[in-house]
Each structure stands twice: as C-alpha cells, then as structure tokens.
Amino acid sequence: MHTQRNYDLQRRGDPMGIALIWSLVVMLVRWMFSKRRGAISYDSSDQTALYIRMLDVRVRSQVGFEPERRGSHPYLCVDFRTLHSRSENARPVPGRRVHRLFSFQRHLHSSRRLHSATTWPYNPLHILDEDYLGQAKCMLAKVGSWNFDIFLFDRLTNGNSLVTLTFHLLNQYGLIELFQLDMVKLRQFIVMVQEDYHSQNPYHNAVHAADVTQAMYCYLKEPKLAKSLTSCDILLGLLAAATHDLDHPGVNQPFLIKTNHYLAALYRNTSVLENHHWRSAVGLLRETGLFSHLPAEDGLNMERQLGSLILATDISRQNEYLSKFRRHLDQDDLCLGNASHRHFILQMALKCADICNPCRPWELSKQWSEKVTEEFFQQGNIEKRHKLEVSLLCDSQSNTVGDIQIGFMTYVVEPLFSEWARFSDTRLSQTMLGHLGLNKASWSGLRASGSLEEPEPEPDPDPPPPPAPGLAQEPQPQKIPPPEP
C-alpha cells in the first residue's frame, strides 16, 4: 500500500515534495556560492601564489605555474576594473567586503516559483524553463534562426542571456541526461562563466559569448555536421563557444605584452588571451566538479579538447587554420567519420562563430561593429593616458568604424566564410555571405557620404602620468591584418 501511494505521488507529481527538494537545491547553491571570493586583490605578502583577479581563483605554483613576478613593473598589479573606471576618485574595494548578487540568485528572487509550487512541471530537466519570460521563451523556440536578436534576448532575460541560452541548448540536445550532469553543478558552472565575463567591456562580454554560442548552434545544425558529430562533439562545441572569451580583460594581446603583464609572461607571449580563457574555463570546471563523475582520463581529455577549440580562435593563427582548411577542401579529403577531422571542423565552426558579426543582418551587425570599435578606442585612451604607443586601430583620432569594419571584412571575414561556404554549401552559408556583402556596401556608402556616426570615446579626466621606467616601446608595424573584433 505504501509503495503504491509513493508510485501514485511520483506519477502525479507531489507539489509539496518538489517544493521541498527545490528549496534544498537553492540552499545548496547559495552555500556553494558563498564559498567563492567576491573579488581578488593582489596580496604582496604571499609570494607563492599567483592571483588572477579576473578568474576569482587562486592558482598555486605547485600545479605548474610559476609564482608571479612582483615589483618589476606597475602593470603587473593592474586591475582592469580600475583601468576602465570613469571615476577620478575610484578606490579599490577590499575583496572581503565585496558581496556579489549572482545572476542565479537574482533569477530566483524574481521567480514566480518562490510564490507558488503548484504549477511546476514534473520533469526536473524543465523546472527552470517556467521562469523564462513569455517573450524570451518564444525567442528560444526560434533559437536556430540566423536573425536571432541576442540583444533583445539579453534584455528579456534580465542580463542572463548566456546562462539561459546555454542551459536551454544543453537540455535541448539531451546532453544533461546523456552525460549524467548534475543539475546544480551545471547551473553553478554556467552562472560562474557568465559572472566571469566583464560587463564593462563594450564587446568582449557575456552577450558576445551568448551570440557566439547561438551561432555555433546554427552551425551544428548544418546537415554535414548534424549527421556526423557525436554527442561529445556537440557538448564540447557548445561549452567552447560559451567560454571562448572567458575573463577577457577588454584589451588585446599586444597591450599585455608591451606592458609586461604577468599573463604574457605566464604564457610566453603566445596566444596569451586564448590560453587564459581556456585555463579559466578549466578552473571553473574543476571548481564546480561538473565532470568529476567521469573517469579521470575522460575528464582530462575533455579539458584538452576544450583547450584546442578555444586556442583556435587566436586571430594571429588565422592564416594557419585557413590554409589547412583550404588544402583539405582542394584535396577533398575531409572525412567526418575521422575524429580528428571532426575536431578540426569544430575548430573552424568556432572560428566562424567568433567573427560572424559582419555576416548578421545590418541592424545587429552595426551594433556589434560600434561596440568593438568602442572597446578599441577605450584601449587607445588607456595607452594615451599611460604614455604608451597607441595600438593599431585603437586611435579614435585616426580611425573610423567604417574603415575598421571594411578592412576586417576584406582581410579576415570574407576569406574564412568563402571557404566555409565551399565546405557547407547551404542556405545559411549563402545567407551569411549575402549579409556580408550588403554590410560591407553599407559601410562603404556611409563612408563615402561622410555620415558615419562614431562611438563616443571615453573622456580622459586624468592628466597622463610620466612614462613608466624601463617600459620598452614597440615600433608600430607598417601593415598587419585587422585584429579580431
């Protein structure tokens, strides 16, 4: 009788039981979040630890990293929140006094579920779906559309586009059940990923990561990939897209190198940002234990493949990957039954997703163009403020949005997407090339008419300090391909 009653409750769904379970889940998540530091400060008394403020994780030298060099240059201890601060009197906030309200907590506080448990769905994988606003849920039904407006979606989800989208796609593919991912750990991981993107970056922020993840999903649905990729490939592709720019500081690699930043030294001036994005993602995977239930070798292999995908987004290696892709297409020897070939195609798909903004409809593409230019000019202002040589395309006095975008489309985007269309000659590929041509023509027309509206450069209220002693100024190259937006 007792067994029959339990079966009936389980079959009908017990609202009170579900409410109790969810309350315990919420308490557990909050406790896990309380164990994280809200911010990282540079503690000069601890010479054995390397603090990566942007990651919120202390990395000990015992795990293979050299201790941070201190005192050799003021940029070693730079906090990028201070660099981007508009306040003259801004002061660093002690880490112990920072109390961040995580997106998941904001999400829960505004949730109708806290007021009523009787409307919950019975399937635990869809518990979170009911919290989506009606319009956001309608947008998710068309998440595979190339016209998907990620800016609107981010507003509808109250700034939680990356969390909402990534969780939805993983669930839609059935990857949560297939890989037996713990729901609490997964949610914690995705929220941490979103939180570790810098919202003050005009371009390299969580909305960009969500946009790349949505584009990656569109590519994963292409016929050649859909019928060949394994579930593991899809999981890695989505996670790589979501984390590919994790903890981006809003400045480029040359800036880190010429200021002798410790990340440049740590990664020996090679794919500095991409290595940091990858290691940051691995740090969060291990912190949350998302793959801890997998065999150790499988978990390490997932981390390595994730790194291989993220490292492929290094724009300085664009010609290397493009030449290899073109060679495969010329020889017609790509076999997606081969694991290494599938992984290479995932790398190319992620590279396309990362720089697909010029291939979006004009209304979306123009917004991204303005945001990336604003970020370039912010870096230029920082360089001027500290008497550094202004990086290419970062000087608001000598560059315009149109000039930057036309060069980027011509030298970087067109060659890549032309080859992708050779590989996957579908309606989506032709649509992307069509938008690319129209957008390039639009920028050319605006430039010719002189009606370009440039983003307002951030004012520099502080007088420039004297040059830092011992800082080597690098000569400006005469001509290099435009950097990645």
Side-chain angles (χ1 to χ4, degrees):
M1 184 68 179
H2 182 67
T3 303
Q4 180 63 35
R5 180 176 178 273
N6 287 343
Y7 172 76
D8 291 340
L9 286 174
Q10 186 178 30
R11 183 179 58 181
R12 295 194 306 269
D14 182 0
M16 295 303 296
I18 295 176
L20 176 61
I21 292 173
W22 187 248
S23 297
L24 293 174
V25 168
V26 172
M27 291 174 62
L28 177 59
V29 169
R30 288 178 178 170
W31 176 82
M32 295 172 87
F33 281 154
S34 70
K35 308 301 286 184
R36 297 187 78 217
R37 292 169 59 114
I40 294 295
S41 60
Y42 293 89
D43 183 359
S44 59
S45 65
D46 186 355
Q47 295 294 331
T48 64
L50 169 66
Y51 286 97
I52 302 180
R53 186 221 69 77
M54 298 170 284
L55 175 59
D56 273 6
V57 175
R58 176 179 289 184
V59 185
R60 291 289 180 179
S61 59
Q62 285 89 332
V63 298
F65 293 104
E66 297 179 2
E68 177 185 347
R69 295 187 297 113
R70 301 178 187 275
S72 59
H73 192 273
Y75 281 96
L76 286 173
C77 297
V78 74
D79 186 328
F80 286 103
R81 292 174 300 181
T82 303
L83 283 180
H84 292 294
S85 174
R86 294 171 185 254
S87 172
E88 296 184 32
N89 300 319
R91 299 174 61 184
V93 180
R96 295 178 184 273
R97 297 182 184 177
V98 175
H99 300 284
R100 293 194 298 178
L101 187 61
F102 286 87
S103 304
F104 187 42
Q105 291 172 320
R106 293 197 304 269
H107 191 64
L108 288 174
H109 282 308
S110 63
S111 169
R112 288 175 295 144
R113 186 184 299 112
L114 294 178
H115 304 290
S116 172
T118 59
T119 58
W120 287 10
Y122 301 148
N123 185 347
L125 286 182
H126 299 285
I127 282 177
L128 298 173
D129 287 354
E130 192 180 60
D131 271 350
Y132 299 162
L133 299 175
Q135 291 172 306
K137 194 170 183 178
C138 289
M139 288 192 70
L140 283 176
K142 299 180 180 180
V143 69
S145 168
W146 190 247
N147 297 332
F148 191 85
D149 188 340
I150 197 65
F151 299 111
L152 174 60
F153 186 70
D154 191 64
R155 292 193 295 272
L156 293 176
T157 56
N158 194 28
N160 290 288
S161 56
L162 183 58
V163 170
T164 305
L165 180 68
T166 305
F167 191 89
H168 173 79
L169 294 178
L170 293 175
N171 189 26
Q172 179 170 296
Y173 273 112
L175 299 173
I176 300 175
E177 289 180 296
L178 184 62
F179 288 92
Q180 299 180 349
L181 301 177
D182 183 276
M183 282 267 288
V184 174
K185 292 179 179 179
L186 175 61
R187 193 75 183 185
Q188 184 189 19
F189 170 75
I190 300 175
V191 168
M192 286 180 175
V193 168
Q194 179 174 275
E195 287 293 321
D196 280 346
Y197 278 95
H198 298 195
S199 60
Q200 72 268 27
N201 290 345
Y203 182 85
H204 289 103
N205 51 42
V207 183
H208 166 66
D211 184 62
V212 172
T213 303
Q214 189 272 336
M216 189 67 169
Y217 171 66
C218 292
Y219 300 150
L220 295 177
K221 293 196 311 122
E222 290 288 77
K224 278 190 175 182
L225 278 71
K227 68 181 182 182
S228 305
L229 297 179
T230 66
S231 297
C232 185
D233 294 329
I234 295 171
L235 176 62
L236 284 169
L238 293 176
L239 291 182
T243 61
H244 81 284
D245 273 332
L246 186 60
D247 197 30
H248 197 292
V251 293
N252 59 20
Q253 175 172 293
F255 180 91
L256 299 179
I257 293 175
K258 68 184 176 184
T259 57
N260 295 327
H261 194 272
Y262 63 83
L263 287 178
L266 182 64
Y267 299 117
R268 300 189 173 122
N269 298 345
T270 303
S271 299
V272 176
L273 288 171
E274 290 73 25
N275 270 297
H276 180 60
H277 304 325
W278 167 37
R279 299 301 175 89
S280 298
V282 169
L284 294 186
L285 284 172
R286 294 184 181 183
E287 184 177 351
T288 59
L290 183 61
F291 293 152
S292 60
H293 63 292
L294 300 177
E297 184 57 35
D298 290 347
L300 289 174
N301 186 50
M302 294 278 278
E303 292 177 359
R304 284 192 293 267
Q305 291 191 66
L306 183 68
S308 177
L309 291 174
I310 294 175
L311 289 174
T313 63
D314 184 353
I315 200 69
S316 68
R317 300 179 63 189
Q318 178 82 356
N319 289 336
E320 172 190 340
Y321 282 94
L322 188 58
S323 297
K324 182 178 179 181
F325 194 29
R326 187 177 289 122
R327 187 165 58 251
H328 277 303
L329 294 176
D330 290 342
Q331 298 175 358
D332 194 23
D333 62 354
L334 276 173
C335 175
L336 297 186
N338 183 307
S340 64
H341 285 195
R342 286 200 311 274
H343 186 75
F344 175 68
I345 292 301
L346 275 181
Q347 289 176 318
M348 299 308 299
L350 182 58
K351 288 178 68 62
C352 288
D354 189 26
I355 61 172
C356 72
N357 303 148
C359 300
R360 296 281 192 179
W362 171 251
E363 294 76 14
L364 301 176
S365 178
K366 184 172 183 287
Q367 292 184 67
W368 285 120
S369 299
E370 292 168 345
K371 288 178 181 295
V372 73
T373 305
E374 180 184 356
E375 190 167 298
F376 288 164
F377 291 170
Q378 281 189 3
Q379 176 178 324
N381 287 340
I382 295 170
E383 291 168 330
K384 291 176 184 177
R385 188 181 310 158
H386 294 278
K387 291 293 185 179
L388 301 173
E389 185 177 9
V390 179
S391 299
L392 188 69
L393 306 183
C394 294
D395 190 348
S396 59
Q397 304 296 321
S398 57
N399 293 283
T400 66
V401 179
D403 290 338
I404 292 173
Q405 286 304 304
I406 291 172
F408 181 66
M409 293 177 184
T410 302
Y411 295 109
V412 179
V413 182
E414 282 181 352
L416 177 62
F417 280 86
S418 295
E419 297 304 320
W420 180 262
R422 286 180 62 197
F423 165 72
S424 179
D425 187 10
T426 63
R427 181 177 179 180
L428 174 59
S429 294
Q430 296 309 314
T431 297
M432 292 190 296
L433 289 175
H435 284 312
L436 177 61
L438 291 173
N439 293 339
K440 186 175 179 181
S442 295
W443 284 119
S444 298
L446 288 174
R447 183 174 63 175
S449 65
S451 59
L452 283 174
E453 296 182 2
E454 304 306 331
E456 290 282 339
E458 180 184 354
D460 183 6
D462 302 323
L471 180 61
Q473 297 275 335
E474 293 185 355
Q476 179 91 5
Q478 294 300 316
K479 183 177 180 180
I480 62 173
E484 170 193 1

